[in-house]
Every structure is written in C-alpha cells, then in structure tokens.
Amino acid sequence: GVPYEEEINKIINSGNNGALKIKYSDMLDNSDPERLSRLDNETRTKLTNKYEPQLKKLKLEIKKRGINNEKF
C-alpha cells in the first residue's frame, strides 16, 4: 500500500548502495523495451509511467554517489 515513489525514496535515503544498485537493475529489466513490447498498450503505458521517473531518480543518485555499475 506504499506509493512506488515512496519505496524508491526509502531505498535512496537508506544509504545502502547495494540496494540502490539492485533496485535500479531490477527496474531496468522490468522496463526493457523488448519485455514491454509483449504487453498490451495500456499495461505498457502504465509501467512506463511508473518506472521512468523513478529510474531517472535512481540513476541520478547512483551517479551522485559515484557508484560503478556496468549497466550505466
């Protein structure tokens, strides 16, 4: 029942770099265009709107912290 943005903020505010990297990688996988292309348009749009802003937020935080990850 927690809004998704709040979940992401908790991960960022935790200071746990490992959790940050894992969540970012998980979201990249979930928002992969090939994977999304298998979904109906409504679901694809809903997930894109859910993940895209939070992915940007996580990526910015990862770069800010200087965390290396081959997915960036």
Side-chain angles (χ1 to χ4, degrees), residues 6-61:
E6 190 174 322
E7 287 183 34
I8 299 304
N9 289 337
K10 283 182 183 182
I11 292 170
I12 290 170
N13 294 329
S14 75
N16 185 329
N17 290 346
L20 195 65
K21 288 170 61 173
I22 289 168
K23 188 61 179 174
Y24 183 78
S25 295
D26 178 53
M27 289 175 64
L28 277 179
D29 185 53
N30 289 341
S31 61
D32 178 65
E34 184 177 325
R35 185 174 183 179
L36 290 174
S37 71
R38 294 183 228 136
L39 303 172
D40 62 83
N41 191 44
E42 182 180 342
T43 303
R44 184 173 44 250
T45 299
K46 179 182 173 185
L47 291 176
T48 298
N49 290 338
K50 177 181 179 178
Y51 290 130
E52 193 171 289
Q54 302 313 314
L55 270 169
K56 288 178 183 178
K57 185 188 296 187
L58 287 172
K59 186 173 185 176
L60 180 64
E61 186 65 25

